[in-house]
Amino acid sequence: MDGTGYRIEPIGVIRSTLVDRKAAPRQGYEDAPEAWLELAPRVAAGLAGLTAGDEVIVLTWLHRAQRDVLQVHPRGNLEAPLTGVFATRSPDRPNPVGLHRVSVLDVAGLRVRVAPMEAIDGTPIVDIKPVLPRSADS
Amino acid sequence: MDGTGYRIEPIGVIRSTLVDRKAAPRQGYEDAPEAWLELAPRVAAGLAGLTAGDEVIVLTWLHRAQRDVLQVHPRGNLEAPLTGVFATRSPDRPNPVGLHRVSVLDVAGLRVRVAPMEAIDGTPIVDIKPVLPRSADS
C-alpha cells in the first residue's frame, strides 16, 4: 500500500458551544455538553439505521493536539509522575484520535445530536461506530 | 492546518497467527486469539506505565478495508437489510479505524501481548488508550 492509504478524510465536524480547549472537560462524563455531529453530504448513506437512543463511539481528530509528545503528567498534575501517553487519555499523542462514547439524542438529516461530548467546536470527525451489546466496550 | 495533519503515522504493527481476513473472527470476543503489539522504537517512551492486567483500547488501521463503502449487509448476511456503515462495525468504511478492547497480558520492551485480538497479522497500529474506570467505555 502506498502512503496515501493512511490519510484520514474527515466525515464531518463537531458543532459545540465549547470553543476553548483549556475550558473543555477532560472527559465526556465530566459535565460535557450536548453537541451536533455535522456530517458531510458524501457520507449521508452511511447514517442509515442510526437512531435516537443508540449508544455510539465517535472517533475524532484532535486537531489542536501536539503529536511529538510521548509522556505527560496525567491530567496536567505536575506532582504526578510522567507517564507514557499510551497509558493515558492525553490528547497529545502521535496519532491524536479522540474516542468519545455518547448517546444519540436526535438524527436530523446530516446532523446528529449527541451527549456528552467534550471535543471542541470544529473538531474533525473520523468515524462513528455502534457500541457492541455483547462487550463492555467501545 | 494543512492537509498533512490528517496523516496517520502507525506506531507499530499487529503480530498474530491470523493472516486471512476471511478467517478472522468479526469481533474480539468471538474466540479471537492472543496477539503481540510490536511498537516502533521511536514511540517506546509512550509505553511507560502500561502494565500486565491493564484494560486498553487498541486502535488499528484496517489496511485491507474498502473506503468507498457506505452501506453493508450486517455480518455479511444478504438477508439482512442494507445498513449505514456508521451503524455497524464493518471494517469497510470511509476511515477504516479498527477499535479493539483487549487485556494486556505482558509488556516486554517494545512488545505488548494482548487478548483477544481479531485484527490480522501486519495490521498497522494507530493508538493505545486505557479504558476509563469511571465510564462503561472505551
mmCIF file of all heavy atoms in Angstrom, chain A residues 54-100:
data_model
loop_
_atom_site.group_PDB
_atom_site.id
_atom_site.type_symbol
_atom_site.label_atom_id
_atom_site.label_comp_id
_atom_site.label_asym_id
_atom_site.label_seq_id
_atom_site.Cartn_x
_atom_site.Cartn_y
_atom_site.Cartn_z
ATOM 1 N N ASP A 54 -29.504 5.230 20.380
ATOM 2 C CA ASP A 54 -28.313 4.392 20.169
ATOM 3 C C ASP A 54 -27.151 4.898 21.020
ATOM 4 O O ASP A 54 -27.014 6.108 21.255
ATOM 5 C CB ASP A 54 -27.878 4.438 18.692
ATOM 6 C CG ASP A 54 -28.817 3.666 17.775
ATOM 7 O OD1 ASP A 54 -29.713 2.976 18.285
ATOM 8 O OD2 ASP A 54 -28.645 3.771 16.543
ATOM 9 N N GLU A 55 -26.318 3.965 21.443
ATOM 10 C CA GLU A 55 -25.053 4.303 22.098
ATOM 11 C C GLU A 55 -23.951 4.091 21.071
ATOM 12 O O GLU A 55 -23.838 3.000 20.495
ATOM 13 C CB GLU A 55 -24.808 3.387 23.301
ATOM 14 C CG GLU A 55 -25.806 3.578 24.424
ATOM 15 C CD GLU A 55 -25.553 4.885 25.164
ATOM 16 O OE1 GLU A 55 -24.397 5.113 25.578
ATOM 17 O OE2 GLU A 55 -26.499 5.675 25.314
ATOM 18 N N VAL A 56 -23.168 5.127 20.828
ATOM 19 C CA VAL A 56 -22.134 5.021 19.795
ATOM 20 C C VAL A 56 -20.799 5.556 20.311
ATOM 21 O O VAL A 56 -20.739 6.306 21.293
ATOM 22 C CB VAL A 56 -22.521 5.785 18.499
ATOM 23 C CG1 VAL A 56 -23.809 5.220 17.903
ATOM 24 C CG2 VAL A 56 -22.652 7.278 18.743
ATOM 25 N N ILE A 57 -19.744 5.119 19.614
ATOM 26 C CA ILE A 57 -18.403 5.658 19.811
ATOM 27 C C ILE A 57 -18.137 6.621 18.668
ATOM 28 O O ILE A 57 -18.259 6.253 17.497
ATOM 29 C CB ILE A 57 -17.341 4.541 19.746
ATOM 30 C CG1 ILE A 57 -17.648 3.432 20.748
ATOM 31 C CG2 ILE A 57 -15.947 5.123 19.940
ATOM 32 C CD1 ILE A 57 -17.484 3.809 22.167
ATOM 33 N N VAL A 58 -17.804 7.844 18.994
ATOM 34 C CA VAL A 58 -17.385 8.810 17.983
ATOM 35 C C VAL A 58 -15.864 8.926 18.055
ATOM 36 O O VAL A 58 -15.303 9.126 19.136
ATOM 37 C CB VAL A 58 -18.033 10.194 18.218
ATOM 38 C CG1 VAL A 58 -17.548 11.198 17.179
ATOM 39 C CG2 VAL A 58 -19.553 10.080 18.185
ATOM 40 N N LEU A 59 -15.215 8.751 16.926
ATOM 41 C CA LEU A 59 -13.769 8.985 16.845
ATOM 42 C C LEU A 59 -13.557 10.344 16.194
ATOM 43 O O LEU A 59 -14.199 10.669 15.190
ATOM 44 C CB LEU A 59 -13.084 7.893 16.015
ATOM 45 C CG LEU A 59 -13.208 6.463 16.537
ATOM 46 C CD1 LEU A 59 -12.465 5.495 15.604
ATOM 47 C CD2 LEU A 59 -12.680 6.340 17.959
ATOM 48 N N THR A 60 -12.678 11.142 16.783
ATOM 49 C CA THR A 60 -12.387 12.470 16.244
ATOM 50 C C THR A 60 -10.889 12.599 15.982
ATOM 51 O O THR A 60 -10.084 11.762 16.419
ATOM 52 C CB THR A 60 -12.804 13.571 17.232
ATOM 53 O OG1 THR A 60 -12.101 13.379 18.466
ATOM 54 C CG2 THR A 60 -14.303 13.562 17.482
ATOM 55 N N TRP A 61 -10.535 13.657 15.281
ATOM 56 C CA TRP A 61 -9.127 14.002 15.074
ATOM 57 C C TRP A 61 -8.869 15.269 15.888
ATOM 58 O O TRP A 61 -9.421 16.329 15.584
ATOM 59 C CB TRP A 61 -8.827 14.251 13.599
ATOM 60 C CG TRP A 61 -7.354 14.427 13.339
ATOM 61 C CD1 TRP A 61 -6.674 15.609 13.209
ATOM 62 C CD2 TRP A 61 -6.376 13.401 13.185
ATOM 63 N NE1 TRP A 61 -5.348 15.368 12.990
ATOM 64 C CE2 TRP A 61 -5.132 14.022 12.970
ATOM 65 C CE3 TRP A 61 -6.433 11.998 13.217
ATOM 66 C CZ2 TRP A 61 -3.943 13.295 12.776
ATOM 67 C CZ3 TRP A 61 -5.252 11.288 13.027
ATOM 68 C CH2 TRP A 61 -4.034 11.927 12.798
ATOM 69 N N LEU A 62 -8.081 15.119 16.959
ATOM 70 C CA LEU A 62 -7.885 16.233 17.895
ATOM 71 C C LEU A 62 -6.860 17.194 17.292
ATOM 72 O O LEU A 62 -5.662 17.131 17.561
ATOM 73 C CB LEU A 62 -7.464 15.672 19.253
ATOM 74 C CG LEU A 62 -8.499 14.679 19.836
ATOM 75 C CD1 LEU A 62 -7.928 13.957 21.052
ATOM 76 C CD2 LEU A 62 -9.794 15.389 20.186
ATOM 77 N N HIS A 63 -7.387 18.096 16.459
ATOM 78 C CA HIS A 63 -6.539 18.883 15.561
ATOM 79 C C HIS A 63 -5.660 19.889 16.293
ATOM 80 O O HIS A 63 -4.722 20.421 15.708
ATOM 81 C CB HIS A 63 -7.403 19.574 14.511
ATOM 82 C CG HIS A 63 -8.475 20.461 15.069
ATOM 83 N ND1 HIS A 63 -9.345 20.037 16.045
ATOM 84 C CD2 HIS A 63 -8.822 21.731 14.778
ATOM 85 C CE1 HIS A 63 -10.174 21.018 16.328
ATOM 86 N NE2 HIS A 63 -9.882 22.058 15.572
ATOM 87 N N ARG A 64 -5.957 20.151 17.562
ATOM 88 C CA ARG A 64 -5.112 21.080 18.311
ATOM 89 C C ARG A 64 -4.007 20.358 19.091
ATOM 90 O O ARG A 64 -3.236 20.991 19.803
ATOM 91 C CB ARG A 64 -5.970 21.855 19.317
ATOM 92 C CG ARG A 64 -7.125 22.638 18.703
ATOM 93 C CD ARG A 64 -6.647 23.884 18.006
ATOM 94 N NE ARG A 64 -7.776 24.651 17.508
ATOM 95 C CZ ARG A 64 -8.488 25.522 18.241
ATOM 96 N NH1 ARG A 64 -8.166 25.741 19.498
ATOM 97 N NH2 ARG A 64 -9.493 26.175 17.706
ATOM 98 N N ALA A 65 -3.956 19.044 18.993
ATOM 99 C CA ALA A 65 -3.017 18.274 19.814
ATOM 100 C C ALA A 65 -1.581 18.382 19.297
ATOM 101 O O ALA A 65 -1.342 18.698 18.126
ATOM 102 C CB ALA A 65 -3.433 16.811 19.831
ATOM 103 N N GLN A 66 -0.633 18.095 20.190
ATOM 104 C CA GLN A 66 0.783 18.023 19.826
ATOM 105 C C GLN A 66 1.138 16.565 19.589
ATOM 106 O O GLN A 66 0.981 15.729 20.479
ATOM 107 C CB GLN A 66 1.646 18.589 20.951
ATOM 108 C CG GLN A 66 1.363 20.053 21.232
ATOM 109 C CD GLN A 66 2.255 20.604 22.338
ATOM 110 O OE1 GLN A 66 2.970 19.880 23.005
ATOM 111 N NE2 GLN A 66 2.195 21.891 22.541
ATOM 112 N N ARG A 67 1.666 16.276 18.400
ATOM 113 C CA ARG A 67 1.909 14.881 18.024
ATOM 114 C C ARG A 67 3.289 14.384 18.430
ATOM 115 O O ARG A 67 3.598 13.201 18.248
ATOM 116 C CB ARG A 67 1.722 14.732 16.513
ATOM 117 C CG ARG A 67 0.324 15.133 16.074
ATOM 118 C CD ARG A 67 0.088 14.839 14.626
ATOM 119 N NE ARG A 67 0.152 13.409 14.343
ATOM 120 C CZ ARG A 67 -0.142 12.869 13.171
ATOM 121 N NH1 ARG A 67 -0.504 13.647 12.164
ATOM 122 N NH2 ARG A 67 -0.056 11.565 12.972
ATOM 123 N N ASP A 68 4.147 15.285 18.942
ATOM 124 C CA ASP A 68 5.507 14.869 19.307
ATOM 125 C C ASP A 68 5.645 14.598 20.805
ATOM 126 O O ASP A 68 6.754 14.437 21.303
ATOM 127 C CB ASP A 68 6.517 15.929 18.859
ATOM 128 C CG ASP A 68 6.212 17.296 19.453
ATOM 129 O OD1 ASP A 68 5.145 17.466 20.085
ATOM 130 O OD2 ASP A 68 7.052 18.202 19.293
ATOM 131 N N VAL A 69 4.539 14.505 21.511
ATOM 132 C CA VAL A 69 4.559 14.266 22.965
ATOM 133 C C VAL A 69 4.402 12.769 23.222
ATOM 134 O O VAL A 69 3.479 12.142 22.711
ATOM 135 C CB VAL A 69 3.418 15.051 23.653
ATOM 136 C CG1 VAL A 69 3.296 14.639 25.108
ATOM 137 C CG2 VAL A 69 3.672 16.552 23.526
ATOM 138 N N LEU A 70 5.317 12.192 24.017
ATOM 139 C CA LEU A 70 5.238 10.758 24.345
ATOM 140 C C LEU A 70 4.988 10.507 25.822
ATOM 141 O O LEU A 70 4.591 9.412 26.210
ATOM 142 C CB LEU A 70 6.522 10.040 23.914
ATOM 143 C CG LEU A 70 6.707 9.883 22.405
ATOM 144 C CD1 LEU A 70 8.091 9.318 22.106
ATOM 145 C CD2 LEU A 70 5.627 8.976 21.821
ATOM 146 N N GLN A 71 5.239 11.531 26.670
ATOM 147 C CA GLN A 71 4.968 11.362 28.100
ATOM 148 C C GLN A 71 4.332 12.643 28.628
ATOM 149 O O GLN A 71 4.675 13.743 28.200
ATOM 150 C CB GLN A 71 6.265 11.066 28.872
ATOM 151 C CG GLN A 71 6.920 9.763 28.422
ATOM 152 C CD GLN A 71 7.932 9.226 29.423
ATOM 153 O OE1 GLN A 71 8.483 9.974 30.225
ATOM 154 N NE2 GLN A 71 8.162 7.913 29.370
ATOM 155 N N VAL A 72 3.423 12.457 29.583
ATOM 156 C CA VAL A 72 2.711 13.600 30.177
ATOM 157 C C VAL A 72 2.559 13.379 31.676
ATOM 158 O O VAL A 72 2.649 12.252 32.170
ATOM 159 C CB VAL A 72 1.305 13.773 29.557
ATOM 160 C CG1 VAL A 72 1.393 14.115 28.076
ATOM 161 C CG2 VAL A 72 0.452 12.533 29.783
ATOM 162 N N HIS A 73 2.288 14.465 32.370
ATOM 163 C CA HIS A 73 1.812 14.365 33.746
ATOM 164 C C HIS A 73 0.299 14.180 33.660
ATOM 165 O O HIS A 73 -0.398 15.091 33.179
ATOM 166 C CB HIS A 73 2.138 15.642 34.535
ATOM 167 C CG HIS A 73 3.603 15.888 34.716
ATOM 168 N ND1 HIS A 73 4.372 15.179 35.608
ATOM 169 C CD2 HIS A 73 4.436 16.761 34.116
ATOM 170 C CE1 HIS A 73 5.622 15.612 35.554
ATOM 171 N NE2 HIS A 73 5.687 16.579 34.648
ATOM 172 N N PRO A 74 -0.225 13.027 34.103
ATOM 173 C CA PRO A 74 -1.667 12.796 33.929
ATOM 174 C C PRO A 74 -2.520 13.944 34.463
ATOM 175 O O PRO A 74 -2.286 14.458 35.551
ATOM 176 C CB PRO A 74 -1.902 11.490 34.710
ATOM 177 C CG PRO A 74 -0.606 10.762 34.566
ATOM 178 C CD PRO A 74 0.444 11.850 34.651
ATOM 179 N N ARG A 75 -3.477 14.344 33.647
ATOM 180 C CA ARG A 75 -4.420 15.419 33.946
ATOM 181 C C ARG A 75 -3.721 16.734 34.259
ATOM 182 O O ARG A 75 -4.277 17.607 34.918
ATOM 183 C CB ARG A 75 -5.364 15.019 35.090
ATOM 184 C CG ARG A 75 -6.181 13.749 34.756
ATOM 185 C CD ARG A 75 -7.179 13.405 35.820
ATOM 186 N NE ARG A 75 -8.218 14.412 35.902
ATOM 187 C CZ ARG A 75 -9.303 14.449 35.133
ATOM 188 N NH1 ARG A 75 -9.488 13.526 34.214
ATOM 189 N NH2 ARG A 75 -10.200 15.393 35.275
ATOM 190 N N GLY A 76 -2.493 16.901 33.763
ATOM 191 C CA GLY A 76 -1.780 18.163 33.941
ATOM 192 C C GLY A 76 -1.287 18.396 35.349
ATOM 193 O O GLY A 76 -0.812 19.496 35.662
ATOM 194 N N ASN A 77 -1.357 17.363 36.192
ATOM 195 C CA ASN A 77 -0.907 17.487 37.578
ATOM 196 C C ASN A 77 0.609 17.287 37.636
ATOM 197 O O ASN A 77 1.110 16.173 37.481
ATOM 198 C CB ASN A 77 -1.627 16.433 38.436
ATOM 199 C CG ASN A 77 -1.098 16.403 39.856
ATOM 200 O OD1 ASN A 77 -0.247 17.217 40.247
ATOM 201 N ND2 ASN A 77 -1.602 15.460 40.644
ATOM 202 N N LEU A 78 1.333 18.387 37.872
ATOM 203 C CA LEU A 78 2.790 18.313 37.791
ATOM 204 C C LEU A 78 3.392 17.469 38.906
ATOM 205 O O LEU A 78 4.561 17.094 38.844
ATOM 206 C CB LEU A 78 3.393 19.731 37.811
ATOM 207 C CG LEU A 78 3.002 20.598 36.608
ATOM 208 C CD1 LEU A 78 3.636 21.970 36.696
ATOM 209 C CD2 LEU A 78 3.415 19.915 35.302
ATOM 210 N N GLU A 79 2.597 17.157 39.934
ATOM 211 C CA GLU A 79 3.116 16.292 41.001
ATOM 212 C C GLU A 79 2.952 14.809 40.661
ATOM 213 O O GLU A 79 3.530 13.949 41.324
ATOM 214 C CB GLU A 79 2.408 16.616 42.320
ATOM 215 C CG GLU A 79 2.736 18.030 42.790
ATOM 216 C CD GLU A 79 2.058 18.380 44.111
ATOM 217 O OE1 GLU A 79 1.483 17.479 44.749
ATOM 218 O OE2 GLU A 79 2.110 19.564 44.469
ATOM 219 N N ALA A 80 2.154 14.517 39.650
ATOM 220 C CA ALA A 80 2.003 13.119 39.222
ATOM 221 C C ALA A 80 3.212 12.737 38.367
ATOM 222 O O ALA A 80 3.762 13.566 37.649
ATOM 223 C CB ALA A 80 0.717 12.955 38.418
ATOM 224 N N PRO A 81 3.667 11.490 38.455
ATOM 225 C CA PRO A 81 4.845 11.095 37.678
ATOM 226 C C PRO A 81 4.571 11.136 36.183
ATOM 227 O O PRO A 81 3.435 10.928 35.741
ATOM 228 C CB PRO A 81 5.127 9.662 38.146
ATOM 229 C CG PRO A 81 3.865 9.184 38.770
ATOM 230 C CD PRO A 81 3.130 10.398 39.282
ATOM 231 N N LEU A 82 5.619 11.416 35.399
ATOM 232 C CA LEU A 82 5.498 11.371 33.948
ATOM 233 C C LEU A 82 5.064 9.970 33.533
ATOM 234 O O LEU A 82 5.602 8.970 34.001
ATOM 235 C CB LEU A 82 6.836 11.713 33.287
ATOM 236 C CG LEU A 82 7.113 13.200 33.067
ATOM 237 C CD1 LEU A 82 8.546 13.393 32.564
ATOM 238 C CD2 LEU A 82 6.133 13.787 32.053
ATOM 239 N N THR A 83 4.093 9.902 32.652
ATOM 240 C CA THR A 83 3.505 8.632 32.226
ATOM 241 C C THR A 83 3.459 8.600 30.706
ATOM 242 O O THR A 83 3.262 9.630 30.056
ATOM 243 C CB THR A 83 2.078 8.510 32.801
ATOM 244 O OG1 THR A 83 2.150 8.622 34.229
ATOM 245 C CG2 THR A 83 1.433 7.176 32.440
ATOM 246 N N GLY A 84 3.653 7.428 30.138
ATOM 247 C CA GLY A 84 3.564 7.278 28.687
ATOM 248 C C GLY A 84 2.166 7.607 28.196
ATOM 249 O O GLY A 84 1.176 7.260 28.840
ATOM 250 N N VAL A 85 2.081 8.290 27.070
ATOM 251 C CA VAL A 85 0.763 8.714 26.579
ATOM 252 C C VAL A 85 -0.152 7.530 26.293
ATOM 253 O O VAL A 85 -1.382 7.659 26.366
ATOM 254 C CB VAL A 85 0.855 9.605 25.317
ATOM 255 C CG1 VAL A 85 1.438 10.958 25.664
ATOM 256 C CG2 VAL A 85 1.621 8.932 24.198
ATOM 257 N N PHE A 86 0.417 6.338 26.011
ATOM 258 C CA PHE A 86 -0.444 5.183 25.717
ATOM 259 C C PHE A 86 -1.074 4.605 26.983
ATOM 260 O O PHE A 86 -1.951 3.736 26.902
ATOM 261 C CB PHE A 86 0.332 4.112 24.960
ATOM 262 C CG PHE A 86 0.955 4.627 23.686
ATOM 263 C CD1 PHE A 86 2.286 4.392 23.385
ATOM 264 C CD2 PHE A 86 0.210 5.384 22.791
ATOM 265 C CE1 PHE A 86 2.862 4.885 22.219
ATOM 266 C CE2 PHE A 86 0.772 5.881 21.614
ATOM 267 C CZ PHE A 86 2.112 5.632 21.334
ATOM 268 N N ALA A 87 -0.627 5.099 28.148
ATOM 269 C CA ALA A 87 -1.258 4.727 29.414
ATOM 270 C C ALA A 87 -2.140 5.861 29.934
ATOM 271 O O ALA A 87 -2.589 5.833 31.078
ATOM 272 C CB ALA A 87 -0.188 4.354 30.449
ATOM 273 N N THR A 88 -2.402 6.862 29.107
ATOM 274 C CA THR A 88 -3.256 7.991 29.489
ATOM 275 C C THR A 88 -4.212 8.332 28.345
ATOM 276 O O THR A 88 -4.040 7.857 27.219
ATOM 277 C CB THR A 88 -2.445 9.272 29.803
ATOM 278 O OG1 THR A 88 -2.161 9.958 28.583
ATOM 279 C CG2 THR A 88 -1.160 8.967 30.538
ATOM 280 N N ARG A 89 -5.172 9.230 28.653
ATOM 281 C CA ARG A 89 -6.065 9.729 27.617
ATOM 282 C C ARG A 89 -5.657 11.119 27.136
ATOM 283 O O ARG A 89 -6.465 11.845 26.556
ATOM 284 C CB ARG A 89 -7.499 9.759 28.155
ATOM 285 C CG ARG A 89 -8.167 8.391 28.251
ATOM 286 C CD ARG A 89 -8.458 7.809 26.868
ATOM 287 N NE ARG A 89 -9.260 6.602 26.944
ATOM 288 C CZ ARG A 89 -10.544 6.522 26.601
ATOM 289 N NH1 ARG A 89 -11.168 7.582 26.131
ATOM 290 N NH2 ARG A 89 -11.202 5.398 26.704
ATOM 291 N N SER A 90 -4.406 11.481 27.366
ATOM 292 C CA SER A 90 -3.931 12.784 26.877
ATOM 293 C C SER A 90 -4.277 12.981 25.401
ATOM 294 O O SER A 90 -4.080 12.088 24.588
ATOM 295 C CB SER A 90 -2.410 12.844 27.020
ATOM 296 O OG SER A 90 -1.895 13.953 26.303
ATOM 297 N N PRO A 91 -4.774 14.174 25.022
ATOM 298 C CA PRO A 91 -4.980 14.432 23.592
ATOM 299 C C PRO A 91 -3.657 14.530 22.824
ATOM 300 O O PRO A 91 -3.628 14.302 21.615
ATOM 301 C CB PRO A 91 -5.727 15.772 23.570
ATOM 302 C CG PRO A 91 -5.454 16.403 24.898
ATOM 303 C CD PRO A 91 -5.212 15.284 25.877
ATOM 304 N N ASP A 92 -2.592 14.881 23.537
ATOM 305 C CA ASP A 92 -1.280 14.962 22.890
ATOM 306 C C ASP A 92 -0.693 13.558 22.797
ATOM 307 O O ASP A 92 -0.450 12.901 23.807
ATOM 308 C CB ASP A 92 -0.353 15.879 23.699
ATOM 309 C CG ASP A 92 -0.897 17.297 23.798
ATOM 310 O OD1 ASP A 92 -1.427 17.787 22.786
ATOM 311 O OD2 ASP A 92 -0.789 17.898 24.882
ATOM 312 N N ARG A 93 -0.476 13.068 21.564
ATOM 313 C CA ARG A 93 -0.017 11.699 21.302
ATOM 314 C C ARG A 93 0.288 11.606 19.816
ATOM 315 O O ARG A 93 -0.135 12.465 19.036
ATOM 316 C CB ARG A 93 -1.080 10.687 21.730
ATOM 317 C CG ARG A 93 -2.440 10.967 21.126
ATOM 318 C CD ARG A 93 -3.616 10.409 21.957
ATOM 319 N NE ARG A 93 -3.475 9.031 22.325
ATOM 320 C CZ ARG A 93 -3.401 8.590 23.591
ATOM 321 N NH1 ARG A 93 -3.525 9.411 24.611
ATOM 322 N NH2 ARG A 93 -3.238 7.312 23.855
ATOM 323 N N PRO A 94 1.020 10.565 19.390
ATOM 324 C CA PRO A 94 1.475 10.540 17.981
ATOM 325 C C PRO A 94 0.346 10.620 16.956
ATOM 326 O O PRO A 94 0.474 11.324 15.949
ATOM 327 C CB PRO A 94 2.235 9.210 17.898
ATOM 328 C CG PRO A 94 2.771 8.996 19.282
ATOM 329 C CD PRO A 94 1.675 9.506 20.192
ATOM 330 N N ASN A 95 -0.744 9.887 17.189
ATOM 331 C CA ASN A 95 -1.916 9.972 16.313
ATOM 332 C C ASN A 95 -3.092 10.427 17.173
ATOM 333 O O ASN A 95 -3.689 9.619 17.887
ATOM 334 C CB ASN A 95 -2.206 8.619 15.662
ATOM 335 C CG ASN A 95 -1.126 8.200 14.699
ATOM 336 O OD1 ASN A 95 -0.800 8.925 13.760
ATOM 337 N ND2 ASN A 95 -0.524 7.041 14.946
ATOM 338 N N PRO A 96 -3.411 11.715 17.139
ATOM 339 C CA PRO A 96 -4.366 12.276 18.108
ATOM 340 C C PRO A 96 -5.820 11.991 17.754
ATOM 341 O O PRO A 96 -6.585 12.884 17.428
ATOM 342 C CB PRO A 96 -4.045 13.769 18.065
ATOM 343 C CG PRO A 96 -3.560 14.005 16.669
ATOM 344 C CD PRO A 96 -2.805 12.752 16.285
ATOM 345 N N VAL A 97 -6.170 10.700 17.835
ATOM 346 C CA VAL A 97 -7.557 10.288 17.605
ATOM 347 C C VAL A 97 -8.284 10.314 18.945
ATOM 348 O O VAL A 97 -7.857 9.655 19.893
ATOM 349 C CB VAL A 97 -7.625 8.887 16.975
ATOM 350 C CG1 VAL A 97 -9.080 8.428 16.841
ATOM 351 C CG2 VAL A 97 -6.935 8.873 15.621
ATOM 352 N N GLY A 98 -9.358 11.085 19.032
ATOM 353 C CA GLY A 98 -10.162 11.136 20.244
ATOM 354 C C GLY A 98 -11.239 10.076 20.205
ATOM 355 O O GLY A 98 -11.769 9.752 19.130
ATOM 356 N N LEU A 99 -11.572 9.525 21.378
ATOM 357 C CA LEU A 99 -12.573 8.460 21.469
ATOM 358 C C LEU A 99 -13.629 8.920 22.467
ATOM 359 O O LEU A 99 -13.320 9.201 23.621
ATOM 360 C CB LEU A 99 -11.879 7.180 21.932
ATOM 361 C CG LEU A 99 -12.657 5.867 21.851
ATOM 362 C CD1 LEU A 99 -11.696 4.694 21.911
ATOM 363 C CD2 LEU A 99 -13.679 5.751 22.943
ATOM 364 N N HIS A 100 -14.874 9.010 22.005
ATOM 365 C CA HIS A 100 -15.946 9.584 22.808
ATOM 366 C C HIS A 100 -17.151 8.651 22.777
ATOM 367 O O HIS A 100 -17.751 8.442 21.717
ATOM 368 C CB HIS A 100 -16.371 10.945 22.243
ATOM 369 C CG HIS A 100 -15.221 11.795 21.785
ATOM 370 N ND1 HIS A 100 -14.598 12.711 22.594
ATOM 371 C CD2 HIS A 100 -14.552 11.840 20.597
ATOM 372 C CE1 HIS A 100 -13.611 13.289 21.927
ATOM 373 N NE2 HIS A 100 -13.569 12.785 20.712
#
